[in-house]
Every structure is written in structure tokens, then in C-alpha cells.
Amino acid sequence: MLQSMLYLHAFNVHDQEKANKIIIPGFKLRSYQFSLAFIFAIEEINRNTHILPNTSLGFELYNVENNLQDIMKETYFCLTGMGIYIPNYTCKRKNKVAALLTGTEWETSVQVGRLLNLYKYPQITFGPFDDTLSDRVQFSSLYQTAQKDMSLSHGIVILMVHFNWTWVGLVLTDDHNGAEILSDLRREMDRNRVCVAFVEMIPDSQVYSGYESRTIHRNILKSSTNVVLLYDVTQYLYDLIIYIGIHSITWKVWITKSQWDVTTDVPYFVSDPFHGSLIFAQHHADISDFRKFIQTYKPSIYPEDYILALLWNRYFNCSFSGPNCKILGNCQPNASLEMLPRNALEMDMTEESYNVYNSVYVVAHSLHEMTLKQVEIHPHGNGEVNTYPWELHPYLKNIHFKNGAGNLMVLDSQRKLEAEYDILNLWNFPDGLRQKMKVGTFSPKAPQGQELCLSDHMIQWAIGFTELPRSVCSESCVPGFRKSPQEGKAACCYDCTRCPDNEISNETDMDHCVRCPESHYANTEQNHCLQKVVTFLSYEDPLGMALINLALGFSSLTAVVLGVFVKYHYTPIVKANNWALSYILLITLIFCFLCPLLFIGHPNTVTCILQQSTFAVLFTVAHSTVLAKTITVVLAFKITLPGRLIRWIMVSRAPNLIIPVCTLIQLVLCGIWLSTSPPFIDSDAYTEHGHIIIICNKGSTIAFHSVLAYLCSMALGSYTMAYLSRNLPDTFNEAKFISFSMLVFFSVWVTFLPVYHSTKGKLMVAMEVFSILASSAGLLGCIFLPKCYIILFRPHRNVLSHVRNKAHSRGKVDLTA
């Protein structure tokens, strides 16, 4: 690839005709615009009376093959001014060298710069900014016109995020620029959660061959990504680009920089794969007169421009004539460069041509400042520019001016300017059009989130895409699912896993599911939290209604039994079984049956405290009454020859003291419970899906089980005493009934404990209510119903003579009557 080297010098006005020699053995058309911008800037400066008055700029153009030998040879030609290269010699006496402009490849600038640095010749590069060239130790005489791409990597990644492209391939040069670019891109991509599908590094050497192009092209096609970034397109990528253009069958979206001009660098027959490419170009203001210059740039005005003659011959059917083949005849009338096809020559000033234009002005302004300085020192001189090249350096370092477009120009490499970028879209329809259309801008100075301004509807995508291209490693996880990373793969490659119970994801591609608050639950799709319904064992609930009816029914039945006992209080069977204790037990059972009403309905602090304490005290009274009755029966039937003490106990009814004593113990236990860890209102949000169950938390489970253990110990005592009197006379002996009632009590509460702990929510409350009703019903049914049966249906057995006959027949004395 040929690289331009522009040689610029100053001369007096009367010598101008000697300096218009243009040596162009064979420019590429892309480089040809550099020379047009170069000549345009020089002519514009020479016409300007405010810059270098009485002095004109001359120039020479060189094309340099990209090899060390040609680079050094052409540099020596430039320095000596002869067709041979002689170190440390120059024949340029009158027209002094002002500066040397070097082209787009940094290798060319490096090789030339090392030589020019020895002679302190000013060198200005108009190619992309390169950190290597900023080394003032190696290249103290080199200056860069282009701004450093401080935010281009960020802009490219923002573009990827805008289109949701998270799976992108990178093709870079394998040099220091490529390494720095890769580092910047990875940092930006990681920050924005964009993954690298592959990285292909193009060898930066002459040994790069078609084999590497085929291998890299195969890797690109094999990748699942639809977006590939060609970041720093240099001559080493040219073979790959040609190979892609000829052999690509899979369409990709290519993102490039403006330094690679696909409209002119690639033959027309291979450009279709790059249709729809997105190009980042540094924004610059238009130089209005440049198009006018192109319109008037013709062979008749610039006969020395051999390339211009070739263009006229090819596109306008002109024929060469004359001994030097520069005179053209039979040309199309009114022919101009503007009439060339778009794919032949870019009419608008490109980014690099803009840098060429600014470079010439940098040299001109520096020469102007140096001339003014000389005039101040030698006010009586003849006005000629009589300087050495190295004298220009102080002025180049401090240059500071606005160009014809109003943009500020400086050459300070330490000054970091964030350039704005135009985003161009390559159109190739109709075939061969190759038009770059501006579809957006990227401004790093804009507020966050507004840096990218894009007209999506204007973008033409590659032929293979009928809609916005997708480039992802894994398809998006819809709401209700979360991303599950695939082991050993990039973060953008994942599986979609449904959210766990009561967790949701309401956005696409969420990394983690979000748990619903306790007051809400996840819907079936697990993409939204719904408000839970507050519930409890209410009066309207069928289960609560059934338990209420049972409680009221049993309490009414107990009241009826009490009424029967009161009505027949004079009968032997009521008297024989200690009617006072029977009344106490029946009244207590009525309250025991009504106790479950505290467990039903909306819990509050009062009911939560009363539930367990009321249940414990009432059942203690009931059991202590049963125990007193049992002891009375045993004393009555077991003592055949009662002594004075036993008779006093029976007459004074001392066993009845068991009731207050046992009740007091239970009250102490309940008092400790309520003072240390009392029951409180609690909610259960997990037992029933979609419901929050309001329940009473028992507080201290140890206290609750201690109360139950105390009740069971009293029942065990009653059962033991009743068991001792199992063989006593049956007529008025209720020991067997008490034993059976205690067995029922044990069965209920032993069953209650495991079932209670295995249930949750309302069922736990219902289970305790049912146990209270069942154990209370056991006491009522086993102890009192047989007596009611005798009182109401067997009255002949409820007479004193029958009682005595039964007693004498068994040889026992009835002391309870």
C-alpha cells in the first residue's frame, strides 16, 4: 500500500513557478483526496494576505511503499532535494524546508521520524493519533494533528447497548495499538455487560498471508455473533477485507472507524457484505470552499497532475495526446471530479483530509509567527524568510489558532480533547452506490444517557436481516425466569431458570429473582407480586362455624345435665356422688365448652392472653374436682372400719380442698407464663399460598407444655385413684366412669401433641379447639350421662332401699350417702 509523504517549504513570491512540481507515481484514490486537501490548503493560504504576506508555500508529494528501504530513500530525497540520497547534504539553499507531513500508517511516521529527529526537521502526522509517536524522547521533532480517541471505545459500546448487542466479535491489529484498544474495549464492555465472542489479532508484519485471512474468516463465520468490530483497519487487514467480500455467505453487521474508507478502498464487486456497516468518524465542521475547489480542479488548470489525467481518461473518455501524454482531447464537456462515481472518489472532506488541511495551516501559522519574530529582531531586513527547520519548533509547540471552520487547533499531545463522532451507515443499494449516510452522533460531553443520538429508522441493515439484527449468546430470559450462568462460558451465555417459589422477575434478563414481601405472593407466571388475603379462623368459616355449633351444643347439653341434677338433687344417686362437686364440675364444663369461643374470630391482644390461661385454669378446676370425687369414692368404699380421723375427713369434706390448691398451682404457672413470655398476635404468611393467617403465638412453648403436663399429671392422679376402686359396688360407684373419662382425656391430648405440631395456621387453632371440646365431652359423657340415664330412665334403681340391698349383698358400707 502506498503512503503519502507531503513535503512543504516556503519561498519568495517570484519563485513560485519553480515549486509547483508534483511527483505522484501512483496514488490510491483514497490518498488522492489527501493531496487535494493539501493543495487546497496551500492555495488558500497563499491567497490570504493576513498569513505570510510576500511569502508563498510550495510543496512536493511523495508516495512511499510500506517498506523500510523505500521509506528511507524517499526521506533522503526530500532532505537533499536531489534524485539521490546523500546523508548530511542538501542542495536546497534558497527554498528552505519548512516541515514534512507524513501519512496514515504509524510505521511510516516512526521510520521517517527517527531520521528527521537527527536533523530536527519538523514532522507533522495527519494519521490517527498514536501514543508511540507521543514519546518526546524518541520523536522530539514530531507532532500529531489528530486528536486522541479518548472516548471512541465508550461510544462503540454505547452503540452496542443501544441495539442490545451483547455478543460481539473483535478484529484488531496485533500491535501496541491493538493491545491498548482491546484493553479499553474490554473495560467498557465489562462495565456495560457486553461480552466478547472472539478476538482475532491480525499479525502486524509482512508475513501475513492469505492463509491467515482464510483462518480468521472461518472463525468469524463459525461464531454465532452477528456483530463484528473492525476497530483499527490498516493495510494488514486489507487482504482479510477482500477475502470477506468475496467469500462471505453469512451476513454480519460490521462496525468500523472512518480511517478505513470502504467506499473507495474495496473493489466494487466485494462491497455487498459491508452494506449496512456502521462507521464512526470524528466530527469536523465542513470546509465550504473545498467542494468548489474540487469542482474547478481540472487537467487544464493542473496539467502536472498525472493522476488527474488518468481519471479524465477513464471516466470521461478523454484521449492522451502530445509527447508527454498530458494533453487530453475528446473529453466530455463540463467534466469535473464531482461527476465521478461515489465509489471512485469521496467528494466530502474525510477525517484524515481534514487533518491534512489543519496540518498545512499549523505550519503556515508557525511560519507566520516566526516571520513576525524575525521582523521584530531585524526590522530593516528585506523581508525574506531566512530560517532553518529546527527554528520552527518553539512556534509549533505553542501553536494555538482557529481554523477556517472555527475549530480550535493545538498540537499539545497532553491536552485531552473529547472529540464528537458522526455515525455513518454504508448504503450499497442500488448495487455499487456505496454512499455513507449520517444516521447519528456520539457526544461524550452530553449528559449521561444522552451521549448517543441515533435515527434508527434511517439505518439500512445487511441484506440477510429483515429487521433489527440480534447478536446475543443466549436468548433473553422472559419475566418469571432468571439467568443461570453456564460454567466455563462468558457471562452473556446462560440458561433460563424459573424463579423459586414466592420469587419473581418482572424484567427481561434478570440475574436474580426478587422475593415478594411477606404481605404479597407471586402469581402463577412469577412476574408480579399480588397482595395476600388476610385470614383467620373466623365465625363465617365453615370450620369455625362447625366448632361454634359444637361448643354451644355441648355447653347447652351440660346445662341440661346440670338442670337434671338440680331437679333430682334429693335422689340417692345425686347425693351419693357428692352433689356439690358434681355441680362444680358441671358448671366448669359449661365454661370449658364455651372456652373455644376465645379461639375463633379475629385475634387481639386480650383474646390471645385469655385463650391459654382460661383453658388451663378451667381444665385444672375440672380435673381437681374429678380428683376430689375420686378420693372421696376411694375413702368411702376402701375403709371397712373407719377410724375417727377418716370419719372426720369424710364428714368435713376435706377432699374438696384439692380444688383450690390445684387451681392455685395452675394460676402460679400461668402467672409466670404471662409475666415472662405471654402470648401475642402473630401472622403466618407461608402456610397457605396467597394468604396471611392471623394467629395467636403462644409465646413460651415451654410454659404451654408445662401447663399441659400439669393437667395430664392431675388426670393421671385421678385415673390412679379411680383404678384402685375399680372393684367397688357399681350402684353409686362412679370410679369406673372416672377411669374411662381419664382414658378419653389421655387419648385426646396424646393424639393432640403430634397432630398439633404437624399442622399450621388455622388448622392448628382448630385442632386445639377440637381437643378441648373432645376432652370436655369425654368428661361429660363418661361421668354424667350414665347417671342421667338412671335418673330419667331407670328411676327404680335410684331409691335408698335398692342402694342398701346392693351394699349388704357386697358386704360394704355406704359412707357417702
Side-chain angles (χ1 to χ4, degrees):
M1 180 178 287
L2 300 177
Q3 301 300 319
S4 60
M5 185 164 64
L6 313 180
Y7 159 62
L8 182 62
H9 58 85
F11 51 86
N12 296 331
V13 174
H14 61 272
D15 294 324
Q16 182 173 358
E17 293 181 358
K18 300 178 181 179
N20 284 340
K21 183 180 179 182
I22 304 178
I23 305 172
I24 310 177
F27 267 173
K28 288 177 85 296
L29 287 178
R30 172 168 170 261
S31 299
Y32 187 55
Q33 198 197 68
F34 303 163
S35 65
L36 294 178
F38 183 77
I39 296 170
F40 167 71
I42 290 177
E43 291 187 357
E44 192 176 61
I45 293 171
N46 288 339
R47 289 194 303 267
N48 192 338
T49 58
H50 300 287
I51 303 176
L52 296 174
N54 299 321
T55 303
S56 296
L57 296 178
F59 60 89
E60 292 181 5
L61 302 178
Y62 293 86
N63 287 307
V64 183
E65 292 285 349
N66 192 28
N67 59 73
L68 180 60
Q69 180 180 353
D70 287 334
I71 291 173
M72 301 307 292
K73 181 175 67 174
E74 298 296 343
T75 305
Y76 274 117
F77 285 168
C78 174
L79 293 177
T80 61
M82 301 173 61
I84 58 175
Y85 43 93
I86 305 174
N88 303 322
Y89 172 80
T90 178
C91 66
K92 297 179 181 290
R93 294 184 176 88
K94 200 165 190 179
N95 300 325
K96 299 295 184 180
V97 173
L100 193 70
L101 275 62
T102 52
T104 57
E105 299 295 338
W106 69 273
E107 297 97 328
T108 303
S109 297
V110 166
Q111 299 298 339
V112 174
R114 287 171 178 162
L115 178 60
L116 296 183
N117 197 49
L118 298 175
Y119 301 100
K120 304 302 179 184
Y121 272 78
Q123 177 188 0
I124 301 175
T125 66
F126 55 86
F129 186 91
D130 192 283
D131 285 326
T132 301
L133 302 179
S134 297
D135 186 352
R136 306 310 297 170
V137 176
Q138 295 188 63
F139 308 105
S140 60
S141 300
L142 188 147
Y143 305 90
Q144 300 186 73
T145 306
Q147 298 180 24
K148 184 175 182 180
D149 292 331
M150 295 294 296
S151 55
L152 182 56
S153 297
H154 178 61
I156 291 174
V157 175
I158 290 295
L159 178 73
M160 296 174 183
V161 173
H162 174 78
F163 290 118
N164 293 320
W165 294 334
T166 59
W167 191 236
V168 180
L170 304 180
V171 180
L172 309 169
T173 53
D174 192 8
D175 57 14
H176 68 282
N177 285 326
E180 182 180 359
I181 292 165
L182 180 60
S183 176
D184 292 342
L185 281 171
R186 282 192 180 277
R187 182 170 59 253
E188 289 293 337
M189 293 171 79
D190 290 343
R191 185 183 304 163
N192 292 276
R193 309 180 75 175
V194 178
C195 298
V196 177
F198 63 84
V199 178
E200 292 293 341
M201 305 299 289
I202 305 298
D204 184 16
S205 67
Q206 296 290 342
V207 298
Y208 180 65
S209 64
Y211 175 75
E212 277 103 348
S213 294
R214 292 192 297 273
T215 303
I216 294 173
H217 180 250
R218 191 182 305 114
N219 293 338
I220 293 175
L221 294 183
K222 185 170 61 177
S223 174
S224 60
T225 180
N226 287 324
V227 178
V228 180
L229 172 63
L230 296 172
Y231 191 93
D232 196 12
V233 182
T234 61
Q235 60 170 324
Y236 304 112
L237 270 172
Y238 190 72
D239 289 340
L240 174 63
I241 292 167
I242 298 296
Y243 194 89
I244 290 173
I246 297 174
H247 297 92
S248 279
I249 57 175
T250 302
W251 300 101
K252 304 285 185 182
V253 176
W254 304 93
I255 303 176
T256 70
K257 291 172 61 178
S258 63
Q259 277 78 11
W260 172 49
D261 190 356
V262 73
T263 61
T264 59
D265 278 359
V266 182
Y268 72 93
F269 57 86
V270 300
S271 62
D272 277 352
F274 300 101
H275 168 73
S277 299
L278 296 173
I279 305 168
F280 276 77
Q282 276 194 15
H283 175 77
H284 59 81
D286 292 331
I287 306 299
S288 59
D289 292 335
F290 182 66
R291 182 171 286 275
K292 295 179 182 178
F293 171 76
I294 290 181
Q295 292 172 348
T296 58
Y297 194 82
K298 299 179 180 181
S300 59
I301 304 175
Y302 301 91
E304 295 86 0
D305 192 340
Y306 183 69
I307 297 297
L308 187 61
L310 291 177
L311 291 175
W312 247 248
N313 173 258
R314 176 177 178 181
Y315 291 103
F316 304 122
N317 298 321
C318 298
S319 59
F320 292 106
S321 63
N324 56 4
C325 295
K326 292 183 179 180
I327 301 174
L328 300 175
N330 301 322
C331 292
Q332 180 179 337
N334 300 323
S336 70
L337 289 174
E338 194 175 31
M339 298 173 63
L340 296 180
R342 278 271 185 179
N343 55 15
L345 181 67
E346 184 72 40
M347 294 296 109
D348 295 325
M349 186 175 283
T350 63
E351 178 182 331
E352 290 159 307
S353 295
Y354 180 72
N355 290 336
V356 171
Y357 174 81
N358 288 329
S359 300
V360 176
Y361 265 91
V362 164
V363 176
H365 278 277
S366 299
L367 284 171
H368 183 75
E369 294 295 329
M370 187 172 63
T371 302
L372 293 179
K373 189 69 174 178
Q374 285 187 347
V375 171
E376 291 179 5
I377 297 174
H378 306 288
H380 302 294
N382 57 8
E384 292 187 1
V385 178
N386 206 0
T387 62
Y388 294 99
W390 52 84
E391 294 178 348
L392 196 63
H393 286 298
Y395 304 96
L396 287 171
K397 292 178 181 177
N398 298 314
I399 195 68
H400 188 277
F401 69 96
K402 286 188 176 182
N403 63 11
N407 293 339
L408 181 65
M409 279 304 304
V410 292
L411 293 181
D412 184 5
S413 62
Q414 301 302 317
R415 182 169 182 173
K416 308 301 182 184
L417 299 175
E418 292 187 328
E420 294 186 1
Y421 293 87
D422 293 329
I423 301 175
L424 311 176
N425 183 219
L426 179 63
W427 293 3
N428 198 42
F429 288 130
D431 191 26
L433 175 65
R434 294 192 188 178
Q435 183 175 1
K436 290 188 292 186
M437 296 296 296
K438 182 177 176 179
V439 294
T441 59
F442 172 73
S443 177
K445 299 177 182 179
Q448 186 174 3
Q450 302 177 24
E451 301 101 327
L452 186 68
C453 181
L454 206 61
S455 299
D456 295 11
H457 64 281
M458 292 181 59
I459 300 177
Q460 294 286 331
W461 299 111
I463 300 171
F465 300 109
T466 57
E467 56 185 14
L468 174 66
R470 288 177 54 79
S471 187
V472 295
C473 180
S474 300
E475 289 300 322
S476 297
C477 293
V478 299
F481 291 80
R482 64 175 177 85
K483 295 194 296 186
S484 179
Q486 296 178 359
E487 187 175 356
K489 293 187 177 181
C492 298
C493 301
Y494 49 81
D495 298 318
C496 294
T497 306
R498 179 167 284 278
C499 290
D501 291 341
N502 209 39
E503 292 187 13
I504 67 164
S505 62
N506 55 6
E507 296 179 5
T508 302
D509 287 339
M510 289 188 64
D511 292 322
H512 305 284
C513 297
V514 179
R515 177 170 290 278
C516 290
E518 289 190 358
S519 59
H520 292 71
Y521 69 98
N523 61 350
T524 306
E525 293 78 16
Q526 290 185 271
N527 57 8
H528 187 64
C529 288
L530 303 177
Q531 182 74 39
K532 287 184 177 180
V533 178
V534 177
T535 185
F536 48 87
L537 187 60
S538 65
Y539 298 107
E540 295 80 13
D541 190 287
L543 182 59
M545 211 177 254
L547 294 175
I548 290 174
N549 291 332
L550 284 175
L552 295 177
F554 278 120
S555 61
S556 300
L557 179 60
T558 307
V560 171
V561 173
L562 178 60
V564 171
F565 268 61
V566 171
K567 182 177 179 181
Y568 295 96
H569 67 279
Y570 56 86
T571 59
I573 196 168
V574 175
K575 291 182 178 180
N577 288 279
N578 198 329
W579 59 268
L581 292 179
S582 297
Y583 291 167
I584 294 173
L585 182 56
L586 287 171
I587 294 172
T588 303
L589 287 176
I590 292 175
F591 287 106
C592 285
F593 284 122
L594 296 176
C595 176
L597 298 180
L598 294 172
F599 291 80
I600 302 174
H602 195 294
N604 55 61
T605 305
V606 175
T607 56
C608 285
I609 293 175
L610 290 178
Q611 280 177 5
Q612 305 301 333
S613 56
T614 303
F615 153 70
V617 172
L618 289 176
F619 266 75
T620 301
V621 173
H623 279 283
S624 60
T625 303
V626 172
L627 182 60
K629 289 171 68 68
T630 307
I631 293 175
T632 300
V633 171
V634 171
L635 291 178
F637 286 95
K638 279 290 184 179
I639 307 302
T640 55
L641 296 173
R644 186 175 300 174
L645 179 60
I646 298 300
R647 284 185 175 273
W648 177 83
I649 291 175
M650 296 300 297
V651 172
S652 63
R653 303 187 181 276
N656 292 354
L657 294 174
I658 293 175
I659 299 174
V661 171
C662 293
T663 303
L664 180 62
I665 295 173
Q666 187 68 283
L667 286 173
V668 172
L669 289 176
C670 289
I672 296 173
W673 182 4
L674 297 179
S675 61
T676 55
S677 181
F680 57 91
I681 302 173
D682 198 4
S683 60
D684 180 3
Y686 305 103
T687 300
E688 292 187 24
H689 183 70
H691 291 79
I692 298 177
I693 303 173
I694 306 300
I695 57 175
C696 287
N697 191 304
K698 292 178 175 57
S700 173
T701 55
I702 296 176
F704 173 69
H705 288 92
S706 298
V707 167
L708 283 183
Y710 181 70
L711 291 176
C712 289
S713 65
M714 293 183 63
L716 181 63
S718 299
Y719 176 78
T720 302
M721 296 301 296
Y723 180 78
L724 295 176
S725 57
R726 66 187 184 282
N727 295 322
L728 296 179
D730 294 339
T731 303
F732 297 121
N733 180 19
E734 58 182 358
K736 291 182 179 180
F737 302 127
I738 293 174
S739 299
F740 191 69
S741 67
M742 292 300 104
L743 286 177
V744 172
F745 182 86
F746 274 117
S747 299
V748 169
W749 289 101
V750 168
T751 306
F752 162 79
L753 288 174
V755 176
Y756 178 81
H757 288 291
S758 64
T759 56
K760 299 292 182 182
K762 294 191 295 184
L763 291 179
M764 179 183 287
V765 179
M767 185 62 196
E768 186 173 359
V769 170
F770 178 79
S771 299
I772 292 173
L773 293 176
S775 57
S776 300
L779 291 176
L780 176 65
C782 295
I783 295 177
F784 292 100
L785 290 185
K787 295 180 176 60
C788 290
Y789 175 77
I790 294 175
I791 293 173
L792 298 176
F793 302 105
R794 294 290 186 269
H796 64 277
R797 296 172 57 183
N798 190 16
V799 293
L800 187 59
S801 59
H802 181 74
V803 173
R804 287 177 177 173
N805 291 335
K806 296 289 289 183
H808 282 296
S809 65
R810 295 201 175 245
K812 300 294 181 181
V813 179
D814 183 7
L815 297 178
T816 62

